[in-house]
Amino acid sequence: MRQRVAIVTDSTASIPVDVAEQLGISIVQLELKVGDEYNDERRVPHPQLAEAMRQGTPVATSEPPPPAFFWNYSDAVAAGAEAIISVHISEGLSRTCESARTAATEIGIPVYVVDSRLVGLSLGFSVIAAAEAAAAGATSQGVMGVLDRRLRGTTQLLYVDTLEHLQRGGRIGRAQAWLGHALSIKPVLALKDGVIDQHAKGVGIERALKKAVSTAVQRAGNNPVDVGVEHFQFGDRAQQVLDELRSKLPQVRRAIVEETSAILGAHAGPGALGITVSPAS
């Protein structure tokens, strides 16, 4: 059966490839510059990026250009879609939505560009839920309703080994970065109103991650949830955190451990770990 509503997102959503293919989710790649080389982020191996960052090689990121969205939208039209829902990384972190809106003006069917105010698997779980609703035959209004509930109910937490990379990318202030480095404090950050904000802190990684897990469990309550842990070159600890969350949460529907997108790794730095708790009902 032809799917009436097409779902488009961007590569920062950290959606596993097999899930995207199964649900027909179209993913537009953000761009990454390492040294003098530009590439779609999927073409940059994570170990290579991490080593470049450790060596002090300049790293920069940029949103997809409007033509990247135009061709994805055109493919959806050619496949018979009657509407497109295009859901992307927070506008507080990227100009991706701006590019999407520019392309949408050239498309002959309705294109709803949604600023998720999130990033990573927090965006990804919401997109997956929207795609599942679309695959079940929901109208664009029905899909938007599912998406809105997910986006509003999601908790996103981030642990970083150092605030240096976020400060370089302009995501936090210099004073915050200096404080964390000077006192050897390990921060727990949160996405709040679409931007990165301080949530808690601990001396050492164990205490910081304990606070992050505690917050995630508290926010989830007894409700059914999808849980994701994503990381940048921190796989063993990510699996441990997911196992701990699953042991403490009474109703886990879907659980994912995924290496985060290279774009997010470029901003968070090696040793970063993110936790997502997303409502599954």
Side-chain angles (χ1 to χ4, degrees):
M1 183 177 69
R2 175 171 58 87
Q3 187 167 306
R4 294 185 294 172
V5 182
I7 306 298
V8 178
T9 189
D10 61 71
S11 51
T12 68
S14 298
I15 298 174
V17 173
D18 59 333
V19 175
E21 291 177 349
Q22 179 184 356
L23 292 171
I25 300 168
S26 181
I27 299 177
V28 181
Q29 296 290 314
L30 272 75
E31 297 184 351
L32 186 62
K33 181 183 180 185
V34 181
D36 295 325
E37 295 185 14
Y38 281 96
N39 247 318
D40 287 351
E41 69 157 308
R42 65 183 169 184
R43 300 182 184 277
V44 180
H46 286 68
Q48 176 184 321
L49 173 60
E51 182 59 25
M53 295 177 73
R54 292 188 184 102
Q55 295 298 325
T57 303
V59 174
T61 63
S62 61
E63 71 280 359
F69 287 100
F70 175 82
W71 293 115
N72 273 267
Y73 296 162
S74 296
D75 287 345
V77 173
E82 299 172 6
I84 299 168
I85 297 178
S86 196
V87 195
H88 300 291
I89 178 176
S90 171
E91 287 193 272
L93 303 174
S94 170
R95 293 191 298 269
T96 297
C97 282
E98 182 180 328
S99 283
R101 292 190 188 101
T102 299
T105 63
E106 305 296 325
I107 303 299
I109 64 173
V111 180
Y112 304 95
V113 177
V114 179
D115 171 12
S116 72
R117 301 172 73 82
L118 297 168
V119 72
L121 279 172
S122 294
L123 166 59
F125 277 135
S126 300
V127 170
I128 289 169
E132 289 173 339
T139 65
S140 56
Q141 291 79 11
V143 174
M144 289 288 282
V146 170
L147 182 62
D148 182 63
R149 287 193 296 273
R150 280 281 186 149
L151 295 176
R152 287 189 294 107
T154 292
T155 293
Q156 181 168 18
L157 302 166
L158 174 65
Y159 164 84
V160 292
D161 187 56
T162 172
L163 290 166
E164 173 187 358
H165 303 291
L166 287 170
Q167 189 274 321
R168 285 182 181 175
R171 269 60 184 185
I172 62 168
R174 185 181 301 273
Q176 287 177 288
W178 178 86
L179 181 64
H181 176 74
L183 301 181
S184 298
I185 291 171
K186 299 297 184 182
V188 178
L189 308 170
L191 261 288
K192 183 178 180 181
D193 298 327
V195 297
I196 296 172
D197 194 17
Q198 181 174 304
H199 173 71
K201 55 182 179 285
V203 178
I205 181 174
E206 300 296 339
R207 291 182 181 180
L209 288 178
K210 183 177 181 180
K211 290 184 178 183
V213 168
S214 176
T215 297
V217 171
Q218 180 182 13
R219 298 278 179 86
N222 295 318
N223 302 309
V225 292
D226 290 335
V227 178
V229 179
E230 55 193 315
H231 67 94
F232 183 45
Q233 299 288 282
F234 208 22
D236 291 346
R237 181 52 65 97
Q239 185 61 55
Q240 292 172 10
V241 169
L242 183 65
D243 292 343
E244 185 174 359
L245 287 166
R246 295 190 71 169
S247 72
K248 293 182 176 181
L249 293 171
Q251 297 191 67
V252 176
R253 190 189 72 165
R254 178 187 279 121
I256 295 177
V257 170
E258 187 79 1
E259 187 148 30
T260 195
S261 78
I263 292 289
L264 302 186
H267 287 294
L273 185 149
I275 296 174
T276 289
V277 176
S278 181
S281 62

